Amino acid sequence: MNYLAWDPQTEPSCKAASGILDYCHPKLYQPTPNRLFLNNGDGTFRDISEQSGIRAHPGKGMGIGVADYDLDGLMDLFVPNDKMQNSFFHNQGGGHFEEIAFDAGVALTEDAKFISGSG
């Protein structure tokens, strides 16, 4: 995962309540594509983001959880995002993932609010 799209050339000017320049809230930035690298077993990695299905679901994640959520022997990936729905990538095997956060009930809270669980 990547966090968000930031460019010093287009950085908005955000101020705290006191009028002092402050950092901008994550909701003001666009999400970025997630990336997945496969270990080649020789000390190198290759980018399989596109063919794995991971890249098709951009996010604003700052961490990642890796676990076999359905006990099928394949590691699944959970990405908590800031100010947008979370991503949950179910491992289909063969380097392919399906995004199932809504079906698994982890995309939003029960009242359809963003969780912003990356912190």
Side-chain angles (χ1 to χ4, degrees), residues 39-59:
N39 187 334
N40 292 320
D42 62 1
T44 64
F45 295 82
R46 64 186 157 104
D47 188 340
I48 63 165
S49 307
E50 191 83 31
Q51 62 265 36
S52 71
I54 297 281
R55 187 172 176 82
H57 302 278

Side-chain angles (χ1 to χ4, degrees), residues 27 81-86 102 107-109 111-117:
K27 69 182 177 185
N81 290 303
D82 272 349
K83 298 302 173 193
M84 63 180 293
Q85 70 274 4
N86 294 322
F102 279 101
L108 303 167
T109 62
D111 55 350
K113 293 184 179 170
F114 298 133
I115 296 169
S116 293

